[in-house]
Amino acid sequence: MSSIKDVAKLAGVSISTVSRVLSGSPNVGNSTRQRVEQAIETIGYKPNLLAQGLRSKRGNLIGLVVPEIHHETFSRLIEYTEEEVRAQGYNLITGNTHGQPDSEDEFIQSLLRRHVDGIIFSRVSDRSRALRILQKDGIPAVIIDRFLENEDIPTIVTDNYGAGVTAAKHLVDLGHTQFALITGPQNIALCRERQKGFAEYLESQGFALPHRNIYEGDFKFETGVDAAKYFLNNAVEFTGLWAENDLMALGAMNTFIRAKKRIPSEISVMGMDDVRSATIVIPSLTTIAQPFSAMCSKAVDLLFRMIDGNSFKDNKIVLPSNLITRESTGRYVVP
Amino acid sequence: MSSIKDVAKLAGVSISTVSRVLSGSPNVGNSTRQRVEQAIETIGYKPNLLAQGLRSKRGNLIGLVVPEIHHETFSRLIEYTEEEVRAQGYNLITGNTHGQPDSEDEFIQSLLRRHVDGIIFSRVSDRSRALRILQKDGIPAVIIDRFLENEDIPTIVTDNYGAGVTAAKHLVDLGHTQFALITGPQNIALCRERQKGFAEYLESQGFALPHRNIYEGDFKFETGVDAAKYFLNNAVEFTGLWAENDLMALGAMNTFIRAKKRIPSEISVMGMDDVRSATIVIPSLTTIAQPFSAMCSKAVDLLFRMIDGNSFKDNKIVLPSNLITRESTGRYVVP
DNA sequence: CTGAAAGCGCTAACAC
DNA sequence: GTGTTAGCGCTTTCAG
C-alpha cells in the first residue's frame, strides 16, 4: 500500500499539503490541488484508516449490536445498516451478543479500542453497562427497534401501539367479534404497547378481550404452538387471532391446521414482521410489516448527525407500520 | 481510554516492558511481570487496536464477503464466523456485495486500508479482481461454500456430489421409481455437482432421469413455483422430486398443494439447506443440511493457520452433508 | 532483563 | 498557501 509520502513526492509537495487536499481544506492553491489529485489518482492512493483513526481519534467505523445475527429481523437490520453506513464511507462491525451483558460489554470494549465513531443498538439488554460506558466516553449511540425507558438515548421504533390498533381494526373490519392475542414477553415495553393498542381498539369498538384469551409467548415458533394448544384445550372462544410476531402466528396456525381447523374460515390469524415464511406457508400469513429499511436509514442518519456534533437527547422517533393482507385472515361468517 | 504510558508509570517501568508483558515475551523478570500485570489490571488497560495495527501491520480484523447479508444461509455463515473470530480476539467486518465485483473490490479496499489479517469469501463473483489483489498483497483468504476452479485458494465446501447421492438414495429407498430435479444455475459448479450425484446414483440403480424431468431454477422460491408449473403443465411423470435448495423445493411444494396434489403420497419433495421455513410448512420439508457451523469453524481455523504463516495452496476441504427426514417424503405406493 | 529511541501513516498546530 | 514538526499509542531494534 502506498502512503501519503509517495503522493507528496510525486506531486512535489509536502505531506501536509496532501493531507489538506484529502480533507478538502480550502487553504490549497488550485494548481497545487490539481497536481496532488493527479498524483493520488495515478498512484491509486487510499489513506490508511488505522493511521487516520489513530491520529484523528475517529475510526471511520460504526458498531452494530444485535442479539442474534441469523434471526431474520436482525439480519435485515444488519443488511440495511451496512449499506447506509458504507455509503458514507464507513465500515460496520456487527457483534452478536446473545443478549448477554458480558458479551455486549466485551464487544463494546473492542469497538472503543478501535475508536468507533458511533454505535447502533438493537435490543440492548436492560442490565447492560454498555450504554453508561459509552456516555462516559461520549460515543454517539442510537437504539433501534426497542425502547429503553430511563435512558436519554435517541431511539427509533415502530409504532407498536399503532400496530396493535391496525391488527385489531383489520379483524374487526372483517366482521370478527371474538378475539385472542398471543403476546411477547410482558417485561418488554414494546409488547405491552402492542397489546395496549390491540386491546384499546377492541374496547373502543365495544368488544372485550378476556384475560383467558391472551397467551404470553416468547416470540418463538414453539410458543405459538403452545398458545394454540392452550386455546384449543381450554375451548377459548374467538375467531380472530393476532400474534405479536410472525413466528408465533405461524406456530399457532400450524397447530390449528393440524387440529383440522380451517383458516381463515374458522379462525383468522395474523402476525407481525413479514418474515419470509409468511409468503411460503399455505394459507399465506396476513401480517404487519415494520419499516426496517426506513428505521435503519433514520438511525444511521441520526447517528451521523450526532457524530457531527448535534445533540438529540430525549429523542424518540416513531415510524408507522404497514398492514399486509394475505390469505390467513378472512371475513367472519356466522357458522 | 488509558494508554500504555499510564501502565508503565504505575508499574514503574518503561513502556517497552509493558509491551513485552502484553505480547507474552519471555524476556521479562518475574517480579516485573507481576507488577505490570497488576497495573494493567487496576487501570483496566486494553491496548489501542489502531495503534497496534498501525505499528504491527496486523489489524486484528477478519473480513467476510457475502452477496446478501439477510439471506438465511449467509446470515448463519456470518453468525458462526463472527463467534469463531471473536473467540480469537479478532473482530469481523462483513461486507454485502450483491455479487457485484465493484462493490466487492471497494469493500476489499477498505479492509486492506485497515490491515485486515485475513478474508473469508462466500460466493466470490467469478469476475472479481479481489482475489488477485489479495494475492498480490499476501493477505490470507479462504473461500467457503463455493468452489472456484483455477484458483489456488483454500476452499471449504459441502460434499455437493454426496448430497445429490443422498437425495437420490433417500427417494429410491422409499420405493420411488420416477424422479424429477430442480437445479440451480448450471453455470455454478456446485449445482452441476449436486445434479451429477443425483443422476449418477439413480443411474447406478437402474433408473433414468430424462432431460424433461429436469428444470433449471435460480435458487429462489419463485423458480420452484415455475418448475412445478412446468412439470404439471407438461404432465412430466415422477413421484420423487429433489430441488437443489429449500426455497425452490418450498415453491414447488406450495404449487403442488395448490394444484391439489397430495404430498408425500402423490409426490415426495425434498430440498437442501434446512432453512427455517422447512419446519414451519405443512408438510414439513425433508431436506439435506449443510454443516455450516463446521464449515465456518474450519474456515476460520484454516485462515488463522495461514495468518500464522502456514501455506495451504491447492487445499480443498469437503465436509459431509446430513439428511433430515421430515413429512414431505414418504414411501411410494402403487396408485 | 530492561530502557531509549525510531517510526508505522497520518493530522494539526505552528511558522513563514 | 505551503512546509516543518510534534505527536496519536504502539512495537521493535539496539544498547547496555
Side-chain angles (χ1 to χ4, degrees), chain B residues 253-264:
Chain B
M253 193 159 81
N254 183 299
T255 307
F256 288 140
I257 292 171
R258 290 186 188 274
K260 305 287 182 235
K261 294 284 178 193
R262 313 199 117 260
I263 293 174

Side-chain angles (χ1 to χ4, degrees), chain A residues 14 16-17 20 27 29 32 55 57:
Chain A
S14 75
S16 27
T17 299
R20 285 191 192 98
N27 305 322
T32 312
R55 181 58 230 235
K57 279 152 179 18

Side-chain angles (χ1 to χ4, degrees), chain A residues 218-232:
Chain A
D218 65 356
F219 283 143
K220 299 209 187 92
F221 180 83
E222 288 70 26
T223 53
V225 171
D226 295 341
K229 284 180 182 161
Y230 159 78
F231 291 139
L232 255 19

